[in-house]
Amino acid sequence: MSRKATLDRQAVQKFNSRFGHLMEVFPEARAEAVRTMGQAAQRELNDQIRRADLEEEAKGTVISWQNLRFGSRGGYAALSALKSSSYRPGAKPKSWNGTAVTVKQVTKWLERGHGVRKPAPGSARAWVRVGRSGLNKYTGLRYVKGRMFYSWTKMKVQDHALDAATEAMKTFAKEIIKMKLERYS
């Protein structure tokens, strides 16, 4: 399996062909299917974050940082982290390379992993943290493995898209039948 999660082209074409003829009759069909798919993908992402190896209170915080956005005409749904600062009132602001750490950066580090700096000499607590991190066998540097909750979610989004398309087709098929019955009665 490749490192990049991609959708199968034939499945996407099948998805689009299902909605081709409905676009003229019911323009909201695609928007409803995309909305349903986006919400299902967000539920899957939240489940992946809950299963991740994080502290319990951190899981809720990371879930609250995720944002589901929709296109203006319902053409797409996107999940991404907020672009705001991770600063909490009463806490010392965190910085990285002289700039404030954003929620988006923290989410990226949790997703992909990050390096671990060497602990200060004599700091027992820091050495315990280093012991839990991995060791790169080529460079000898320590790192924290990524939780990959976005990557796992990407792999399941195609199934959610097809399910949403099927449900939308059922709903709008019922509407078409109603319209035909009203026309003949």
Side-chain angles (χ1 to χ4, degrees), residues 4-159:
K4 184 178 178 183
T6 58
L7 293 175
D8 180 24
R9 282 182 193 238
Q10 290 177 344
V12 172
Q13 288 172 351
K14 185 177 178 182
F15 178 81
N16 286 332
S17 69
R18 286 182 177 180
F19 284 102
H21 66 282
L22 280 180
M23 289 301 130
E24 294 130 15
V25 180
F26 295 106
E28 68 273 0
R30 182 175 177 195
E32 180 63 30
V34 168
R35 192 176 316 109
T36 304
M37 180 190 65
Q39 291 166 346
Q42 186 173 31
R43 282 191 302 275
E44 180 65 35
L45 177 65
N46 292 346
D47 290 344
Q48 291 294 334
I49 292 171
R50 284 187 194 100
R51 286 187 220 132
D53 183 25
L54 297 170
E55 294 179 11
E56 283 304 314
E57 62 188 39
K59 291 177 185 181
T61 303
V62 174
I63 288 173
S64 71
W65 290 344
Q66 308 313 310
N67 183 28
L68 176 61
R69 298 174 286 118
F70 297 104
S72 60
R73 289 181 277 155
Y76 71 89
L79 277 166
S80 61
L82 299 172
K83 294 181 181 179
S84 63
S85 171
S86 63
Y87 174 71
R88 287 180 283 179
K92 181 180 174 186
K94 306 286 187 223
S95 65
W96 183 72
N97 287 344
T99 60
V101 174
T102 64
V103 166
K104 194 168 195 150
Q105 283 176 310
V106 174
T107 302
K108 183 177 122 182
W109 293 332
L110 288 172
E111 170 71 14
R112 298 180 183 170
H114 56 86
V116 177
R117 63 182 173 181
K118 292 180 181 177
S123 172
R125 183 171 178 239
W127 277 107
V128 169
R129 282 192 197 151
V130 167
R132 288 187 292 190
S133 62
L135 181 66
N136 186 324
K137 63 182 177 182
Y138 299 110
T139 63
L141 298 175
R142 296 215 168 260
Y143 67 95
V144 175
K145 292 180 182 178
R147 278 37 173 228
M148 297 177 39
F149 36 80
Y150 270 97
S151 299
W152 292 114
T153 301
K154 280 182 188 178
M155 293 172 61
K156 295 184 179 182
V157 166
Q158 183 173 343
D159 295 333

